[in-house]
Amino acid sequence: MSGKAPARSWSAWPLLAGLLLASGLALAMGVAVGSTGFALDWSAADPMQAQILWQIRLPRSAGAWLAGALLGLAGAITQGLFRNPLADPYLLGSAAGARLGVALSLAVLGGTPMGMQWLERLGLTGAAFLGTLAGVSLALTMAKGVEHSLRLLLAGVVVGVVLGAITDLITLAQPDTLRTMQAFVLGTTSFLGWPSIVLMGGVLLLSLAVALGASEALDALTLGEATAQSLGVRLGAVRLLLICAFALATGTAVAQTGMIAFVGLVAPHLVRNLCRGSHRQLLLLSACAGGLLLLAADILSRWLMAPQELPVGVITAILGGGYLLRLMHKRRYGGRA
């Protein structure tokens, strides 16, 4: 009924165990799915087949889970920090900064042999990461710090619009960059390898540790900023710490996979719909849910139209948008939230 807790609410730790089990099964399926369908022979008898399984499919699948976990964690942080269920990891200009970083690197460095050497060293992943940090830094500068959450949100919107317009001007002036930019905007897991896994795994552990350390402050923020301050929460320090954590997580995920839609927005909603708990539990569960969502979308993107691949960002947008529409419909007509 409307206003009551969901009848099928899970406890946090059984739900975490279920998400991890489902993630393990999805990882095995991801290793088995290729351009020709399912390949369940994981023996090393064929060196070529073994290389495909363990050097391409396994790091791609594990990397997809890690990227989704980073986005799910970042989404839970932003929604808790700004007390806004519509907040997502691409808040505060992070997505627009990443796009601008990629567009600038392609336009400035991609046209000459010397530029291509620098682009090869820096990589589009590095350009996207630097662009993400630049976008968030610009939003913080415009907001004159982290003291006012509404000012931060408005600054993020303004930075996103302005940087997006600059990116569009660059791509119009350099039409050769459109194809690469399209792949980045739609998201892809095709280029994930073992170095990406090491990087994303380390960032996930660091961001999760910071977020869990501030989880009690997020719980206090649910009661309002005045109440949180009366409970001894140093809002300025907590906001800055959490913004750094979600910017680092978002920048790393975007740098490795491009701009994948809806994972960071849907994962915390999915967890809250299944389980009522503290932010410590929500952060862990959102990371696992985000990883499972992106890995499942990656498997579908490879399997639905094999041997061709669909952009994984299109799959996440369809699945995530459909879930949110269903959730809104149930709440509108008094179903379980």
Side-chain angles (χ1 to χ4, degrees):
M1 294 294 180
S2 177
K4 295 183 179 181
R8 296 182 181 180
S9 180
W10 289 55
S11 297
W13 305 122
L15 179 57
L16 179 63
L19 288 172
L20 290 175
L21 177 60
S23 296
L25 295 175
L27 181 62
M29 185 176 294
V31 175
V33 173
S35 59
T36 58
F38 285 89
L40 298 178
D41 183 10
W42 294 355
S43 66
D46 184 355
M48 181 63 71
Q49 181 69 12
Q51 184 175 10
I52 291 174
L53 291 177
W54 307 115
Q55 298 300 323
I56 298 177
R57 295 185 191 170
L58 179 58
R60 174 174 179 168
S61 299
W65 190 93
L66 287 170
L70 286 169
L71 293 174
L73 174 63
I77 293 173
T78 54
Q79 290 178 17
L81 181 60
F82 294 103
R83 293 179 293 146
N84 188 339
L86 296 179
D88 72 352
Y90 299 147
L91 202 65
L92 300 187
S94 57
R99 285 184 62 212
L100 180 58
V102 172
L104 279 175
S105 62
L106 290 172
V108 176
L109 301 177
T112 64
M114 181 65 70
M116 288 302 295
Q117 292 179 8
W118 279 102
L119 186 60
E120 184 176 353
R121 292 179 184 178
L122 176 65
L124 294 181
T125 58
F129 181 76
L130 293 176
T132 298
L133 297 185
V136 174
S137 299
L138 182 58
L140 290 175
T141 301
M142 289 186 60
K144 298 181 180 180
V146 296
E147 296 300 326
H148 302 284
S149 57
L150 180 58
R151 186 185 295 171
L152 268 174
L153 290 173
L154 292 175
V157 171
V158 172
V159 168
V161 172
V162 172
L163 296 188
I166 296 174
T167 303
D168 292 337
L169 289 175
I170 292 173
T171 53
L172 286 174
Q174 300 282 341
D176 293 340
T177 66
L178 284 174
R179 185 175 182 86
T180 304
M181 285 297 301
Q182 183 183 36
F184 176 79
V185 170
L186 293 177
T188 180
T189 56
S190 301
F191 305 109
L192 294 175
W194 292 114
S196 300
I197 290 177
V198 173
L199 176 62
M200 289 191 292
V203 171
L204 177 62
L205 291 176
L206 177 60
S207 301
L208 188 59
V210 171
L212 291 177
S215 60
E216 292 184 0
L218 289 175
D219 289 335
L221 272 173
T222 60
L223 304 175
E225 294 186 1
T227 303
Q229 285 181 321
S230 69
L231 293 173
V233 176
R234 298 173 60 187
L235 289 181
V238 168
R239 281 200 186 103
L240 183 59
L241 192 64
L242 289 175
I243 286 173
C244 290
F246 92 73
L248 179 62
T250 304
T252 303
V254 169
Q256 298 297 324
T257 61
M259 293 171 55
I260 295 177
F262 274 101
V263 172
L265 179 62
V266 168
H269 279 277
L270 178 63
V271 169
R272 282 193 293 265
N273 195 41
L274 294 175
C275 174
R276 296 291 188 267
S278 66
H279 271 90
R280 178 176 294 272
Q281 298 165 337
L282 175 65
L283 293 166
L284 282 170
L285 292 170
S286 295
C288 292
L292 180 59
L293 286 172
L294 184 51
L295 178 53
D298 179 58
I299 294 171
L300 288 175
S301 71
R302 286 183 271 164
W303 177 64
L304 287 176
M305 296 183 63
Q308 294 182 343
E309 288 189 17
L310 291 171
V312 68
V314 173
I315 302 296
T316 59
I318 293 173
L319 295 178
Y323 172 77
L324 289 179
L325 286 174
R326 178 176 176 272
L327 192 63
M328 290 172 61
H329 177 78
K330 290 175 67 176
R331 288 181 174 177
R332 169 67 178 81
Y333 292 99
R336 289 190 299 270

